């Protein structure tokens, strides 16, 4: 405690702040890169004119609130006021769109969710061009949410390569925007006569470990309106949540990957070579914070439908006993039961589609539960089937990488609510992806911790490759649990998945016939 107090008072503290879709989190780490204080702010996006957005006011107030909560936690735990930081990093949801004119005025509300085919920021821009939106000719600069906050804190219009890969395709050889694609885009819109060229309005790209500026006096006042915070903290390149997730799970080296499973699910694998095909956007290509190519398979639906069933079981137990059950025990009991179910779920087939899934070709979703005439309808099979279907869309995407691209994975690290009961979550995920899956005790710290670690790498990396530095300085003593599914579990999932794939016709019929 005394060491941490001295560490903070001497101005050596390092902080990472990440803007998630529902919470903004701030984490302060010690000299061993372990989290020792944290703060958060809850917020919610708004649907305005068909676009999911957060106002500029909400963004700034959320930043200040999360930092103030961190200050409060530091004061309560260590009895000191946070006044000086050694390094700071900002990360946020990728693929957003914030466009500014030459006077640095935000031209349209931040676009985080938008009904367009691709999620890249460049797709937001092109959609605005196709719709002849008034703001487009006046664009002088556009960026992501992390890039915007970083700019306000430092005055620097830069972006980490991982977040930049969510704006526009990256050439992994040059670690910069793909020049040929830039030229194609400029040619595509040449008839519009805009005064700008694409390369002139994109943020400058930086790699992990490169100095991205420092907090100005105005930036310090913006982050901490109380005036306690001093200017001068060096800043890491702002990153996206994909990149910070890779860091938090030690998955930045080639042939490593991570899978995040909660309300939605996505898996990222660091590739040894480029993919042979584009697959119509079913596989996203992003990069690690140090510029290696990453393939990402993403599904909108994972544990959301399971949570509805848990709430139903909660109601039933409460109605029968007159007392609400312990929610944690209910979850763990149900999840553990899945391991005793039939390997193929006994003929049960749920669909967890609360919303559409582009990876399976569905623009809408209907939650369904179907069972064959001779199905074994038990609790264990029901829960197992819910967990299997939560990974059905993900498996569809991963099969592209495994079967069509022959992608190899040495290690896959899981994090998120799916792994609340580690044995069950790891076993089911390993069966679904026929790959050993691990859980790190630190993985639960998540993106804001990953961003703080990237800020630490900036000042402590000493030129070492990011993957090597992480292994030596961050994860050398981390406890790791690894599960490799048994042959019969893998075969059971394959049988279920064949049923799931064939059953998509039922899901399509439900969408067509049920409002």
């Amino acid at each position: 405690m005394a060491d941490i107090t001295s560490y903070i008072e001497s101005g050596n503290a390092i902080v990472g702040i990440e803007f998630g879709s529902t919470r903004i989190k701030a984490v302060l780490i010690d000299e061993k890169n372990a989290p020792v204080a944290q703060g958060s702010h809850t917020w919610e996006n708004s649907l305005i004119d068909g676009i999911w957005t957060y106002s500029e006011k909400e963004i700034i107030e959320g930043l200040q609130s999360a930092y103030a909560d961190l200050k409060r936690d530091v004061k309560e735990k260590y009895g000191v006021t946070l006044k000086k930081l050694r390094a700071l990093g900002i990360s946020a949801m990728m693929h957003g769109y914030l466009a500014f004119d030459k006077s640095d005025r935000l031209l349209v509300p931040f676009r985080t969710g938008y009904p367009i085919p691709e999620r890249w920021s460049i797709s937001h821009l092109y959609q605005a061009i196709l719709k002849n939106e008034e703001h487009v000719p006046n664009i002088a600069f556009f960026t992501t949410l992390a890039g915007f906050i970083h700019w306000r804190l430092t005055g620097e219009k830069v972006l980490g390569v991982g977040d930049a890969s969510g704006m526009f395709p990256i050439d992994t050889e040059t670690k910069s925007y793909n020049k040929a694609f830039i030229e194609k885009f400029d040619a595509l819109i040449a008839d519009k006569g805009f005064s700008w060229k694409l390369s002139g309005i994109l943020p400058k790209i930086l790699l992990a470990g490169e100095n991205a500026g420092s907090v100005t006096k105005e930036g310090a006042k913006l982050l901490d309106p109380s005036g306690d915070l001093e200017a001068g903290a060096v800043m890491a390149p702002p990153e996206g949540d994909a990149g910070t997730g890779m860091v938090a799970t030690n998955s930045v080296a080639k042939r490593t990957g991570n899978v995040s499973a909660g309300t939605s699910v996505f898996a990222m694998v660091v590739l040894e070579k480029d993919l042979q095909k584009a697959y119509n956007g079913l596989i996203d290509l992003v990069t690690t914070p140090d510029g290696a190519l990453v393939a990402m398979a993403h599904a909108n639906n994972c544990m959301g439908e399971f949570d509805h069933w848990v709430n139903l079981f909660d109601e039933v137990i409460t109605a029968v006993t007159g007392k609400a059950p312990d929610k944690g025990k209910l979850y763990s009991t149900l999840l553990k039961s899945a391991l005793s179910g039939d390997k193929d779920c006994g003929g049960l087939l749920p669909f967890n589609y609360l919303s559409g899934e582009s990876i399976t070709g569905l623009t809408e979703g209907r939650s369904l539960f179907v069972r064959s005439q001779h199905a074994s309808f038990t609790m264990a099979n029901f829960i197992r089937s819910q967990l299997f279907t939560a990974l059905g869309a993900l498996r569809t995407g991963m099969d592209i990488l495994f079967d069509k691209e022959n992608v190899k994975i040495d290690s896959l690290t899981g994090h998120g609510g799916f792994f609340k009961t580690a044995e069950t979550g790891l076993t089911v995920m390993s069966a679904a992806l026929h790959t050993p899956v691990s859980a790190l005790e630190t993985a639960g710290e998540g993106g804001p911790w990953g961003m703080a670690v990237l800020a630490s790498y900036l000042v402590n990396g000493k030129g070492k490759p990011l993957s090597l530095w992480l292994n030596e300085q961050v994860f050398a003593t981390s406890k790791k649990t690894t599960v490799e599914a048994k042959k019969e579990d893998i075969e059971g999932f394959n049988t279920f998945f064949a049923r799931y794939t064939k059953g998509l016709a039922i899901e399509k019929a439900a969408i067509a016939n049920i409002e």
Side-chain angles (χ1 to χ4, degrees), residues 296-332:
M296 180 167 70
H298 179 273
N300 297 324
N301 301 284
C302 186
M303 293 295 281
E305 176 67 356
F306 180 78
D307 287 341
H308 285 297
W309 283 107
V310 173
N311 289 336
L312 177 63
F313 296 145
D314 186 306
E315 282 189 47
V316 172
I317 293 170
T318 303
V320 171
T321 66
K323 181 181 178 182
D326 178 272
K327 205 63 173 282
K329 185 177 180 181
L330 178 58
Y331 262 103
S332 62

Side-chain angles (χ1 to χ4, degrees), residues 433-465:
L433 302 184
H434 44 82
T435 301
V437 181
S438 303
L440 287 164
E441 63 175 0
T442 53
E445 305 296 345
W449 176 65
M451 190 64 242
V453 168
L454 283 172
S456 176
Y457 176 64
L458 168 64
V459 293
N460 297 313
K462 299 179 181 178
K464 285 189 177 182

Side-chain angles (χ1 to χ4, degrees), residues 21-338:
S21 58
T22 59
R23 291 178 71 195
I24 303 168
K25 299 178 185 177
V27 170
L28 186 149
I29 58 176
D30 64 14
E31 56 190 358
K32 295 181 180 179
N33 298 300
V36 294
Q38 60 185 351
S40 67
H41 171 81
T42 301
W43 68 342
E44 186 176 356
N45 56 11
S46 302
L47 184 62
I48 300 175
D49 297 328
I51 298 170
W52 288 104
T53 185
Y54 304 86
S55 71
E56 188 172 5
K57 182 172 180 286
E58 287 175 314
I59 293 170
I60 299 302
E61 288 179 349
L63 172 71
Q64 294 170 342
S65 175
Y67 183 78
D69 197 37
L70 174 68
K71 276 183 66 180
R72 177 199 54 76
D73 193 42
V74 168
K75 185 72 172 179
E76 288 182 0
K77 287 179 176 174
Y78 309 108
V80 296
T81 298
L82 194 56
K83 295 182 177 181
K84 186 178 180 180
L85 302 176
R86 185 182 181 195
L88 173 65
I90 301 292
S91 55
M93 302 167 282
M94 293 175 69
H95 308 292
Y97 177 80
L98 291 109
F100 302 86
D101 64 15
K102 60 184 179 182
S103 300
D104 296 338
R105 181 175 62 92
L106 184 64
L107 292 169
V108 288
F110 168 44
R111 294 176 178 176
T112 177
Y114 196 64
I116 51 178
E118 312 293 347
R119 293 187 297 143
W120 281 333
S121 301
I122 191 64
S123 299
H124 286 270
L125 174 60
Y126 188 54
Q127 183 67 25
I129 292 171
L130 292 177
K131 294 174 66 178
N132 294 312
E133 293 190 29
E134 290 183 8
H135 79 275
V136 176
N138 300 317
I139 296 175
F141 172 61
F142 82 119
T143 189
T144 65
L145 179 55
F148 167 64
I149 295 296
H150 182 95
W151 174 32
R152 292 293 302 272
L153 295 177
T154 66
E156 301 290 339
K157 297 178 179 179
V158 301
L159 213 56
V161 65
D163 205 12
S165 70
M167 290 196 74
F168 194 85
I170 301 297
D171 182 335
T172 53
E173 293 296 321
T174 64
K175 311 295 186 188
S176 59
Y177 299 112
N178 188 303
K179 186 177 179 182
F181 288 179
I182 292 253
E183 291 172 352
K184 287 182 179 180
F185 185 85
D186 284 338
L188 183 66
I189 64 169
D191 62 324
K192 301 293 184 180
F194 299 136
S195 60
W196 51 264
K197 296 288 187 182
L198 183 58
S199 59
I201 64 173
L202 284 164
K204 177 184 175 182
I205 290 179
L206 296 174
L207 304 180
E210 293 186 326
N211 191 313
S214 57
V215 177
T216 63
K217 288 183 179 180
E218 296 80 9
K221 189 71 173 177
L222 179 74
L223 182 57
D224 185 7
S226 73
D228 287 333
L229 182 64
E230 297 177 20
V234 294
M235 290 201 66
E239 265 300 343
D241 50 5
T244 58
M246 295 176 209
V247 171
T249 55
N250 196 20
S251 306
V252 300
K254 291 179 180 179
R255 293 174 67 115
T256 66
N258 75 88
V259 56
S260 174
T263 304
S264 62
V265 59
F266 62 86
M268 295 182 287
V269 181
V270 187
L271 302 175
E272 297 178 279
K273 57 184 178 62
D274 202 350
L275 299 184
Q276 300 175 57
K277 292 176 60 179
Y279 299 104
N280 298 318
L282 297 181
I283 302 294
D284 272 358
L285 288 175
V286 294
T287 76
T288 62
D290 56 349
L293 191 63
V294 176
M296 180 167 70
H298 179 273
N300 297 324
N301 301 284
C302 186
M303 293 295 281
E305 176 67 356
F306 180 78
D307 287 341
H308 285 297
W309 283 107
V310 173
N311 289 336
L312 177 63
F313 296 145
D314 186 306
E315 282 189 47
V316 172
I317 293 170
T318 303
V320 171
T321 66
K323 181 181 178 182
D326 178 272
K327 205 63 173 282
K329 185 177 180 181
L330 178 58
Y331 262 103
S332 62
T333 301
L334 293 173
L335 289 170
K336 285 178 182 177
S337 74

Side-chain angles (χ1 to χ4, degrees), residues 399-468:
D399 274 355
I400 294 174
L401 299 179
F402 290 138
D403 300 339
K404 297 182 179 180
E405 293 287 343
N406 199 32
V407 169
K408 303 297 182 186
I409 306 176
D410 292 333
S411 65
L412 192 65
T413 301
H415 55 112
F418 191 86
F419 303 98
K420 277 182 180 178
T421 302
E423 183 185 5
T424 301
L426 293 174
T427 300
V428 172
M429 186 67 73
S430 180
L433 302 184
H434 44 82
T435 301
V437 181
S438 303
L440 287 164
E441 63 175 0
T442 53
E445 305 296 345
W449 176 65
M451 190 64 242
V453 168
L454 283 172
S456 176
Y457 176 64
L458 168 64
V459 293
N460 297 313
K462 299 179 181 178
K464 285 189 177 182
L466 178 60
S467 60
L468 179 62

